[in-house]
Each structure stands twice: as structure tokens, then as C-alpha cells.
Amino acid sequence: MLSGEFPNVNSSFELDNTTCKAIGGAITKSTLNIPSSIFEGTFRGQYTCIFKNISKKRGSMRSVDWIVFMQCVLPTLVFEQLAQEYGPDALQVEALMSYVIGCCLALQWEIDQDDLINIKKHFQNWHLHMKNEVDNNMYTINFHLLRHIHGTVKALSPLRAYSTKLTKRSIGFFKKHVKSQVSPRENAGNVIKQQLLIRNFSRVYYGDDCLGEEPEKDEYTVPGYPHIELWDPCLSTTDNTMLAPLRTYWDSFFH
């Protein structure tokens, strides 16, 4: 919306190409003085693409990148240009800042009753501007979902406490190991089961410190014991004389 990517559409926030390039240049210069460890997203170079070459680079932006862009770039570099273009008290400038404030409040680890009231108020301001001043096809599902944040936080606690962002790493891990095209369901089930067995062994034997480690060389082996194969637990000790001593051994080993 800021870069004017949508022609013949009233997006209310559009900035000309020269201004967008100036913002991109300012972002590039600022990255030299910002330690990369400060942000969850990849600050260096990513946000410049939004303004300098949005049609080709926008797809490389992750959710965490957009969140940092919203928290750090919108209320500073972008706000400055919007205020100069439309005036600091313009409806679209106030609406955009309501959007930023509402999101920043919702991203806190601790949210009190006053925060909840402000979250609801700021997202309502943003919603009314989008509804009354911007073309209907600009009002996406993401803007609609912002109106539910107040009720969601009130019912379930701050968003950060149960964010699904960290599950993306787990999804990528399992996706890499599910390779069967004939029986993907069974393959996925076996991969998950084997991983749970590894994590359970690691927790009992090594403690919780090693749970973030992944199996070496993509092999599902017990950490530190690459020759051990993982089998299903023995539920019965009557069908095979070998199972009884095995069970006795592991019982004594792990108490």
C-alpha cells in the first residue's frame, strides 16, 4: 500500500517512488549501526527491498521480518514521510499509528487491563479508517483478524505465550524427513514416533539441556549411541524369553 503497488486503487497511504527509495536508502545506512542480534528478523537488507524492489523481493520477507518492520520502520522513517506528505494530524497518519500501537501492545509479554482497552481502541480506529476511507478490496483478512486480538488476549493471555511461530522450525524438520511418496502418512507417523523416542531417551539420560539438538547426519539414532536402533516399547514379557531380561535391565538402568 505504501509503495503504490496497486494502480488505480485508493490505498490512502501511498508514497511516490522517490520517497520510497529514500526510505530504502535510509534503512540501508542505518543497518551499519544496528547489531543484528537485536532483532528476531533479518534486518540487514531485507526491508530495503520493500521500497527498492518490492515486486521481486517481497516474497522473501518472513513474518518476523514484517513484525520488526512494523515496530521499527513504520513509526519512524515511514511516519516521517507520511506526516510530510499528508500532515501529522491527517486521518491516515493517525490510523497507521493506531495500527502500530495496537500491534506493539499486543506483542508484549505482559498485558494489563489498560493495555487491553488501548488495544481495542487503536484497532477500532484502524478498522474505521480502512472501512470508510480505503477501497474495499484493500481490507484483507489480516486486517479483520486484528479486531479479534482484544478478545483473544483476554481469553487466552498474551499472544507471545502461545505463538505458533516456533513450530515452523519443527514443521521444517519433519518435512525434511518425510520422503515417502507412496505412504506419506505412515512415513510421517514413524518419523514423529522415532523423534519422540529420541527426545524421551535424551531427557532421561542427558537432561533437558540437549532437547534442542537434532540427530546428526539425519539419522534417528540414540545420541551418543549410533549403533542402537529404536524399537517399539515391549508391552508384554510372556511371548519371548528375551524380553524379560531386557525389561529388567532397562528398569534398573532408569529406575
Side-chain angles (χ1 to χ4, degrees), residues 57-83:
K57 298 295 185 179
R58 186 180 61 175
S60 64
M61 295 282 288
R62 302 171 300 166
S63 298
V64 289
D65 298 322
W66 285 114
I67 290 174
V68 175
F69 172 78
M70 176 273 301
Q71 289 178 305
C72 303
V73 180
L74 279 185
T76 53
L77 296 171
V78 175
F79 172 81
E80 181 182 32
Q81 297 299 330
L82 288 173

Side-chain angles (χ1 to χ4, degrees), residues 198 201-202 205-206 210 213 221-226:
I198 290 175
F201 180 91
S202 300
Y205 191 73
Y206 295 106
C210 66
E213 300 176 1
T221 55
V222 177
Y225 299 87

Side-chain angles (χ1 to χ4, degrees), residues 3-224:
S3 63
E5 183 184 4
F6 310 101
N8 304 320
V9 172
N10 173 28
S11 64
S12 182
F13 304 97
E14 185 175 342
L15 295 172
D16 60 63
N17 189 49
T18 302
T19 302
C20 289
K21 287 185 177 181
I23 294 175
I27 296 173
T28 302
K29 291 180 181 179
S30 68
T31 57
L32 299 177
N33 301 316
I34 299 175
S36 59
S37 59
I38 288 180
F39 300 107
E40 293 181 81
T42 306
F43 192 86
R44 299 176 184 275
Q46 286 281 14
Y47 307 105
T48 310
C49 301
I50 295 178
F51 295 102
K52 284 191 172 181
N53 200 0
I54 188 169
S55 62
K56 294 183 179 180
K57 298 295 185 179
R58 186 180 61 175
S60 64
M61 295 282 288
R62 302 171 300 166
S63 298
V64 289
D65 298 322
W66 285 114
I67 290 174
V68 175
F69 172 78
M70 176 273 301
Q71 289 178 305
C72 303
V73 180
L74 279 185
T76 53
L77 296 171
V78 175
F79 172 81
E80 181 182 32
Q81 297 299 330
L82 288 173
Q84 184 175 341
E85 178 73 20
Y86 301 103
D89 298 324
L91 291 177
Q92 58 264 61
V93 178
E94 291 186 353
L96 189 66
M97 290 311 297
S98 288
Y99 160 74
V100 172
I101 294 171
C103 289
C104 289
L105 289 173
L107 288 169
Q108 297 180 121
W109 278 102
E110 296 182 2
I111 298 177
D112 57 27
Q113 189 61 36
D114 290 337
D115 292 330
L116 275 176
I117 294 174
N118 285 321
I119 288 172
K120 185 175 183 179
K121 178 185 71 174
H122 285 295
F123 283 147
Q124 178 67 6
N125 292 342
W126 168 256
H127 161 71
L128 290 176
H129 177 79
M130 295 298 296
K131 179 182 178 182
N132 298 328
E133 305 295 334
V134 178
D135 289 351
N136 289 336
N137 57 350
M138 288 286 96
Y139 195 92
T140 67
I141 183 63
N142 289 330
F143 293 150
H144 169 77
L145 292 175
L146 290 176
R147 303 190 66 197
H148 291 283
I149 287 182
H150 166 265
T152 303
V153 172
K154 187 176 181 180
L156 299 176
S157 77
L159 302 178
R160 284 189 179 273
Y162 49 89
S163 170
T164 59
K165 184 171 60 179
L166 295 180
T167 64
K168 290 186 176 181
R169 182 171 182 265
S170 298
I171 291 172
F173 172 82
F174 288 117
K175 183 179 179 180
K176 181 175 63 175
H177 291 86
V178 178
K179 301 177 180 179
S180 174
Q181 297 181 356
V182 179
S183 303
R185 182 174 63 179
E186 289 78 4
N187 187 191
N190 290 331
V191 169
I192 293 174
K193 181 172 64 176
Q194 290 170 334
Q195 183 66 8
L196 288 174
L197 287 169
I198 290 175
R199 294 303 173 94
N200 183 63
F201 180 91
S202 300
R203 182 181 289 107
V204 173
Y205 191 73
Y206 295 106
D208 293 333
D209 295 337
C210 66
L211 294 183
E213 300 176 1
E214 295 184 0
E216 297 180 359
K217 299 181 181 179
D218 297 335
E219 294 178 352
Y220 285 97
T221 55
V222 177

